[in-house]
Amino acid sequence: MALNADLIARIDALSTHHDAVHEGVRVRWRRFGSDASRPPLVLLHGGHGSWMHWLLNAEALSAGRTLWLPDMPGFNESDAPPRAAPGEDPLRPLLAALGGTLDQLVGAGTVIDLGGFSFGGLTAARFGAGRGAVRRLALIGSGGHGTLRRMTAQMINWRAAPDREAERAALLHNLGALMLHDAAAIDELAFAIHDVSCHGTRFRSKEVSQSGGLQQALATMGVPTLLLWGEFDVTADPRPLVAQLAAEGPGREGVVIDGAGHWAQYERADEVNARLVEFFR
């Protein structure tokens, strides 16, 4: 485990931490790189996640540009957003804090490139549709598509585990049930990221991810979009979904990463990095 902690610390040390506050909600952003010649790239993590969902991507994607990775409100090192009022859009408080703090850091109206993973995919699309000033959008295993999931194993409630050993077993099970396809990818680093991120999650994202809204947000944005899923992603049936979404608007590119599960940018980091670098070039 020490080597995994060393890797996380090494990547973290490449960043500058920025704690911005919007309407009383503090959001921690990590900035990698400092090249202002291209639009800053903003990437949002998934549910039960943190900035570390992009741990194996940060170096490649910050080469020659500025990369911003937040812990979204309600996750890891950021404050929780206020609860949405009854009948209110449950994402509104999160989006408000996210947008308010980003604008403090890069400037309101500054054109950005934008991406998101899983729950963060839907959040990125909703965020971009509301903010505007997005040049290109890339989504990996995005939530919000409203089609059937392909879950074959039940998730285990790790919070109900009676001790640390049972909790660890539940978290490892969930990594295989939802996040990663290849058993070899469920390594100590993946567990360390998942463990820390799950314990730091205070926002209920599952219902939001399964409530739909992705297609409408993509249509509202109308920007060049990369739609990427892992071949074995259990949150969707990737090939027909990618084909459908790509056909619904101009400037959309659909990609299925062979051999990858839901967390494709971890399981097939080199291939996903190459795709993203080329798309955002």
Side-chain angles (χ1 to χ4, degrees):
M1 189 69 77
L3 291 177
N4 302 313
D6 289 346
L7 177 59
I8 293 171
R10 182 181 72 77
I11 300 299
D12 194 12
L14 300 176
S15 73
T16 302
H17 294 188
H18 298 261
D19 288 321
V21 179
H22 176 78
E23 296 182 350
V25 179
R26 180 189 57 82
V27 180
R28 170 153 291 185
W29 291 80
R30 284 170 168 82
R31 176 177 60 82
F32 293 82
S34 58
D35 191 334
S37 64
R38 301 165 63 192
L41 173 58
V42 176
L43 297 178
L44 306 183
H45 60 76
H48 284 81
S50 69
W51 73 275
M52 290 182 288
H53 272 170
W54 304 100
L55 189 80
L56 301 186
N57 318 105
E59 287 183 281
L61 299 181
S62 61
R65 74 181 312 160
T66 304
L67 169 67
W68 291 93
L69 301 180
D71 285 329
M72 288 194 287
F75 295 88
N76 200 38
E77 295 175 339
S78 292
D79 291 347
R83 287 183 178 272
E88 183 186 22
D89 174 6
L91 263 186
R92 191 203 65 78
L94 183 153
L95 291 173
L98 194 67
T101 55
L102 177 65
D103 284 349
Q104 292 175 36
L105 296 170
V106 305
T110 296
V111 174
I112 63 171
D113 284 334
L114 181 61
F117 163 58
S118 193
F119 163 70
L122 173 62
T123 304
R126 290 278 311 276
F127 178 69
R131 179 184 187 271
V134 174
R135 185 183 72 109
R136 287 180 166 246
L137 174 71
L139 306 181
I140 299 177
S142 181
H145 51 79
T147 66
L148 292 177
R149 293 155 68 95
R150 301 189 300 173
M151 297 289 294
T152 58
Q154 293 292 321
M155 301 285 283
I156 296 176
N157 181 6
W158 59 271
R159 294 185 188 274
D163 53 41
R164 177 56 177 167
E165 183 178 356
E167 180 185 88
R168 179 183 171 88
L171 289 166
L172 281 169
H173 167 85
N174 291 348
L175 269 174
L178 177 66
M179 297 290 281
L180 299 165
H181 171 69
D182 187 348
I186 306 174
D187 55 19
E188 285 297 320
L189 179 60
F191 176 80
I193 293 170
H194 190 58
D195 186 30
V196 170
S197 300
C198 284
H199 279 90
T201 295
R202 287 144 289 143
F203 183 89
R204 293 181 63 87
S205 63
K206 182 177 179 179
E207 293 80 4
V208 176
S209 289
Q210 295 184 8
S211 64
L214 177 63
Q215 289 86 337
Q216 180 181 354
L218 292 177
T220 300
M221 290 187 69
V223 301
T225 301
L226 177 65
L227 300 154
L228 188 151
W229 264 266
E231 176 187 8
F232 297 105
D233 191 333
V234 299
T235 69
D237 189 356
R239 295 192 191 281
L241 177 59
V242 164
Q244 172 193 330
L245 292 175
E248 287 178 350
R252 298 184 187 180
E253 177 185 358
V255 174
V256 175
I257 301 293
D258 291 340
H262 184 49
W263 192 7
Q265 76 271 26
Y266 184 91
E267 194 162 8
R268 293 290 185 272
D270 289 345
E271 183 175 353
V272 172
N273 287 342
R275 294 273 188 180
L276 293 175
V277 166
E278 178 62 28
F279 176 71
F280 286 123
R281 191 180 300 279

